[in-house]
């Protein structure tokens, strides 16, 4: 009985401290001023030709509803010391 008399108030105190210490902080990355339509490269490269894809796009304003613009007809080459892979637009 002695342990439960101590544990209950301690747990209650910890719960109250946890709830009171939570604070909602608004996130504002201020990226509207940084958006310069920077090229973005997203790719997946595997051993099989069907598992190779690269998507090129440009950055867009954050939560503005602006459609992300793809970069069309770019020539993309990925290489290592032994092999070079050329990706075609599709």
């Amino acid at each position: 009985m002695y342990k439960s008399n101590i544990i209950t108030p301690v747990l209650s105190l910890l719960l109250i401290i946890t709830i009171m210490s939570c604070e909602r902080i608004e996130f504002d990355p201020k990226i509207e001023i940084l958006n310069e339509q920077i090229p973005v490269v997203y790719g997946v490269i595997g051993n099989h030709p069907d598992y190779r894809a690269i998507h090129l796009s440009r950055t867009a304003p954050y939560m503005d509803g602006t459609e992300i613009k793809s970069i069309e007809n770019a020539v993309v080459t990925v290489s290592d010391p032994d092999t070079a892979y050329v990706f075609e637009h599709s």
Side-chain angles (χ1 to χ4, degrees), residues 54 56 70-76 86-90:
I54 293 182
L56 300 175
S70 292
I71 299 174
E72 304 289 331
N73 299 319
V75 176
V76 178
V86 178
F87 289 80
E88 296 181 10
H89 177 73
S90 60

Side-chain angles (χ1 to χ4, degrees), residues 71-86:
I71 299 174
E72 304 289 331
N73 299 319
V75 176
V76 178
T77 304
V78 177
S79 63
D80 63 19
D82 300 324
T83 312
Y85 303 96
V86 178

Side-chain angles (χ1 to χ4, degrees), residues 14-33:
L14 287 175
L15 180 64
I16 291 170
I17 290 172
T18 302
I19 290 172
M20 292 180 67
S21 66
C22 294
E23 180 180 348
R24 185 177 186 137
I25 299 173
E26 187 173 326
F27 176 68
D28 185 12
K30 299 191 186 311
I31 59 175
E32 305 89 25
I33 58 174

Side-chain angles (χ1 to χ4, degrees), residues 1-12:
M1 267 210 244
Y2 179 72
K3 289 183 181 180
S4 67
N5 288 340
I6 293 175
I7 293 175
T8 303
V10 170
L11 288 177
S12 299

